[in-house]
Amino acid sequence: MKKFTSLYIILLLTLNVVAQETIIIPDIGLEECLIDLGIDSNGLNGSILVSDARHVVNLNVNDPITNKLLPNVHSKIKDLTGLESFPNLKRIDCFGNNITKIDLSKSTSITFLNCSDNQIERLDLRNNVELIYVSCDNNELTELTLGDNKNLESLYCSFNRLTNLDVKGCTKLESLDTTSNEIDAIIVNDKQLNNIPQAWYKDETAAYTSNAGYTETTTVATPTPKSKPTVTKPVVKKTLPVQNNTTKQTASNYYEKFQLSVVTEYDKLVLTAAHLQSKKDELQQQYNLNPAQLTEWINKYSSLLVSNNNVVKSTDVGLPQKHSVAYYSKFKKSAVEEYEKAILTPSYLQSKKEEVQKKYNLNAEEFTQWINLLGDSALKPKTTQPQETAKSYYEKFQKSVAKEYEYAILNATHIQNKRSEIQQKYNLTTEQLNQWIKKHSKIISH
């Protein structure tokens, strides 16, 4: 009995350790995606190793049925449970799935979220204060809670069922699209109310207002100013403050929105995942790097923070210095010199001299003369320190590879090809498109 009890305790402890080392992934579609992306290494078993999840920074599971990066996925995702335990997750791309709910309350490190074209009814982003970009268009949203998202710059929530929206805590919000909702009031702060950004779009029936200035009366009761506008419009009479800054949806507004849409399409064409990956593959093969190495170097040194949707300026890249090969050669040479110096230290050589002297009963001074006269010069102490260490040359090599990657992505031929595609598609002149790109694009080409 005692032996059985001990065995039982050991089994419980083992199961507990295993449970701590894995994260439950209940949705088969999500796990298929993680396996196809090379993230989940322990197979299709409803879980992922914590050690695997720790390395995930950017996750792209967009439209998995047609996504060429996910050839073995046969189910759209319905549930993202498990991602909240990915500690370093920065970006989530999951549009074009069947997701009905999403809990990001523990995913406090994310900066980019694209969950458009799903069936999400409620989205609470109060805890995600690092967010810069959110796209949740084409869902079933009746509630979108933002809180004090002071880093949020872009919010796209069109084609939902929202009846109100509070953005007063989003003090950096530059781009906003709330069109095709049931919104009556968009709550803003005083600074926003006095200067509505040009890239904010809403329906004509919606109005910008401050929280304190919004009042609502019904035949049943009078809600407090903080109450959400009711959806039962037949029995609700709303009083909104008169303002001079309401943006009307004129032809000019829609034309500018069209321009922005065209340029956004151009940006995406320039920086397609396939194009980025092809350039990564070229550099990996050229310098015999593994994917994790190159990704790490790009994240550390590249000025093209594409994965976080930051502004991308190819003028920051400049012409490639093409120092990668030279720096790698210097790194190898410097590493060998460092190795030699570590081996041929004066103390080590002296110990060997003393061994031979003792063995043959030699005079120390005389033996030193023999060594200087007849010894291999390569075995003399390596006392000269290279001007730069192997570590510094390796870092220069990393930086140079990252710069070479940037230039490969934003080469003039590729950019011109994408411009030509957009011009032809929308029947634009070169001057027109150049003007729009200069005004709206995140990519400023050479």
Side-chain angles (χ1 to χ4, degrees):
M1 183 66 183
K2 187 175 181 181
K3 184 177 181 181
F4 177 80
T5 303
S6 300
L7 186 63
Y8 181 72
I9 292 172
I10 292 171
L11 180 62
L12 283 178
L13 290 172
T14 303
L15 289 174
N16 185 49
V17 169
V18 171
Q20 289 177 348
E21 292 179 348
T22 61
I23 298 168
I24 301 299
I25 305 293
D27 189 275
I28 188 172
L30 177 57
E31 191 174 12
E32 283 181 342
C33 290
L34 296 175
I35 292 171
D36 244 24
L37 292 170
I39 296 170
D40 187 348
S41 64
N42 69 341
L44 191 63
N45 58 3
S47 69
I48 181 175
L49 296 174
V50 171
S51 56
D52 288 340
R54 191 177 294 121
H55 298 294
V56 182
V57 177
N58 304 319
L59 183 64
N60 181 345
V61 291
N62 292 333
D63 197 6
I65 303 299
T66 60
N67 193 328
K68 293 181 180 179
L69 299 176
L70 305 170
N72 301 306
V73 177
H74 307 292
S75 308
K76 286 198 172 187
I77 299 169
K78 297 179 181 178
D79 188 354
L80 292 178
T81 298
L83 293 189
E84 70 278 1
S85 299
F86 286 41
N88 299 310
L89 194 57
K90 296 285 187 183
R91 174 172 180 148
I92 303 176
D93 287 274
C94 59
F95 77 74
N97 280 284
N98 293 328
I99 301 166
T100 56
K101 62 180 181 179
I102 181 170
D103 182 2
L104 299 174
S105 57
K106 296 180 181 178
S107 302
T108 55
S109 62
I110 62 168
T111 60
F112 182 103
L113 172 64
N114 182 0
C115 58
S116 297
D117 297 309
N118 279 284
Q119 300 163 22
I120 303 169
E121 297 180 359
R122 294 178 180 83
L123 187 58
D124 189 340
L125 302 174
R126 282 175 293 183
N127 291 345
N128 310 107
V129 294
E130 299 298 320
L131 277 170
I132 296 173
Y133 177 100
V134 173
S135 178
C136 52
D137 298 313
N138 296 305
N139 274 283
E140 299 293 328
L141 286 175
T142 57
E143 292 182 19
L144 175 56
T145 308
L146 299 168
D148 293 329
N149 258 302
K150 300 185 185 302
N151 293 309
L152 189 62
E153 297 176 3
S154 301
L155 172 63
Y156 303 100
C157 56
S158 60
F159 294 95
N160 279 288
R161 297 190 291 119
L162 297 171
T163 56
N164 77 327
L165 183 66
D166 188 341
V167 298
K168 66 177 181 293
C170 306
T171 53
K172 288 186 179 180
L173 194 59
E174 297 176 356
S175 300
L176 173 66
D177 188 353
T178 64
T179 56
S180 299
N181 275 280
E182 301 169 19
I183 295 176
D184 296 297
I186 301 173
I187 313 301
V188 298
N189 58 47
D190 291 337
K191 185 177 180 180
Q192 292 167 334
L193 186 63
N194 293 326
N195 186 22
I196 299 297
Q198 289 185 347
W200 281 24
Y201 300 98
K202 65 178 184 59
D203 295 319
E204 289 185 5
T205 54
Y208 299 117
T209 180
S210 66
N211 195 32
Y214 181 81
T215 59
E216 180 181 277
T217 58
T218 72
T219 57
V220 179
T222 304
T224 62
K226 292 184 179 180
S227 297
K228 182 177 67 177
T230 181
V231 183
T232 55
K233 294 181 181 178
V235 296
V236 180
K237 183 179 179 182
K238 300 184 178 80
T239 305
L240 296 171
V242 178
Q243 55 166 302
N244 297 322
N245 295 294
T246 302
T247 305
K248 295 180 179 180
Q249 296 299 307
T250 63
S252 175
N253 296 144
Y254 281 118
Y255 187 59
E256 184 174 1
K257 194 172 183 180
F258 167 67
Q259 292 178 356
L260 181 60
S261 178
V262 169
V263 173
T264 300
E265 187 175 338
Y266 161 78
D267 286 356
K268 288 180 179 178
L269 281 174
V270 170
L271 297 173
T272 60
H275 177 60
L276 297 178
Q277 189 58 49
S278 69
K279 299 308 173 186
K280 279 189 176 183
D281 292 342
E282 287 176 16
L283 286 175
Q284 284 167 207
Q285 187 174 359
Q286 182 179 347
Y287 296 110
N288 193 27
L289 307 173
N290 64 55
Q293 269 185 312
L294 182 55
T295 300
E296 181 185 353
W297 299 354
I298 290 169
N299 290 339
K300 187 175 181 181
Y301 295 115
S302 177
S303 59
L304 301 178
L305 301 179
V306 179
S307 60
N308 291 333
N309 202 49
N310 289 56
V311 174
V312 180
K313 295 184 179 180
S314 60
T315 49
D316 294 341
V317 180
L319 293 174
Q321 296 179 357
K322 298 291 184 183
H323 288 327
S324 303
V325 176
Y327 283 138
Y328 192 44
S329 177
K330 288 179 180 178
F331 157 68
K332 291 189 291 186
K333 182 181 178 183
S334 185
V336 172
E337 288 177 354
E338 194 171 324
Y339 161 76
E340 290 178 347
K341 186 184 175 188
I343 292 175
L344 301 176
T345 60
S347 59
Y348 174 76
L349 294 175
Q350 183 60 37
S351 69
K352 297 307 171 185
K353 283 173 69 175
E354 290 173 356
E355 283 182 25
V356 175
Q357 284 171 209
K358 186 176 181 181
K359 182 177 180 179
Y360 296 105
N361 193 24
L362 301 175
N363 176 275
E365 185 177 347
E366 186 178 20
F367 185 42
T368 300
Q369 291 176 354
W370 294 0
I371 291 172
N372 291 336
L373 181 64
L374 305 171
D376 189 340
S377 59
L379 296 178
K380 290 183 178 180
K382 299 289 183 177
T383 56
T384 56
Q385 177 71 15
Q387 291 183 348
E388 292 195 62
T389 64
K391 183 179 179 181
S392 67
Y393 277 125
Y394 191 51
E395 187 172 357
K396 285 186 176 181
F397 170 60
Q398 292 176 344
K399 290 180 180 179
S400 190
V401 169
K403 288 296 178 185
E404 195 169 327
Y405 163 75
E406 291 176 354
Y407 189 78
I409 290 173
L410 297 176
N411 65 78
T413 303
H414 174 68
I415 290 176
Q416 186 55 49
N417 288 341
K418 299 310 171 185
R419 287 192 181 197
S420 299
E421 286 180 26
I422 291 292
Q423 282 177 228
Q424 187 174 0
K425 182 176 181 180
Y426 295 105
N427 194 26
L428 304 174
T429 66
T430 303
E431 186 178 353
Q432 266 184 314
L433 183 56
N434 285 343
Q435 184 180 1
W436 297 1
I437 289 172
K438 185 176 181 181
K439 183 177 182 181
H440 297 293
S441 179
K442 294 181 174 66
I443 302 170
I444 304 173
S445 54
H446 313 264

